[in-house]
Amino acid sequence: ESDAAYFSQIPASFLKVLKLIHYEKMNYREIADQVELPAGTVKSRIHRAREMIKKLRAEDEARNETWQEPTYA
């Protein structure tokens, strides 16, 4: 599943900076100027948004694993 499938589960303030860096190809300074936040806050939000997506992806994969009946010898 694409990471975009998880976007609805990420807070808007985190999603906005993530989209700006990945889709608009803006750098941290440009994003900071656009959203009127310090560059450090932008970096932090991007990092946290990526971590949220990793966690959601892992949870989704764990749910989708097929359970198999154990075999007894």
Side-chain angles (χ1 to χ4, degrees):
E1 204 168 329
S2 148
D3 289 344
Y6 304 113
F7 286 175
S8 65
Q9 299 175 60
I10 296 174
S13 60
F14 292 84
L15 184 57
K16 182 172 186 166
V17 295
L18 190 66
K19 285 183 174 181
L20 290 173
I21 200 161
H22 287 288
Y23 296 123
E24 300 299 325
K25 306 297 184 198
M26 296 172 81
N27 64 40
Y28 294 123
R29 173 59 39 212
E30 292 169 330
I31 296 168
D33 290 344
Q34 170 128 1
V35 298
E36 298 179 343
L37 290 170
T41 302
V42 169
K43 290 178 187 179
S44 175
R45 288 187 182 181
I46 290 168
H47 174 75
R48 290 179 63 195
R50 288 173 176 160
E51 291 300 310
M52 288 178 204
I53 289 174
K54 283 183 196 176
K55 182 180 179 205
L56 291 167
R57 186 185 311 129
E59 290 170 355
D60 199 33
E61 288 171 1
R63 270 193 305 276
N64 291 330
E65 287 180 0
T66 54
W67 184 82
Q68 295 180 344
E69 183 75 31
T71 56
Y72 302 99

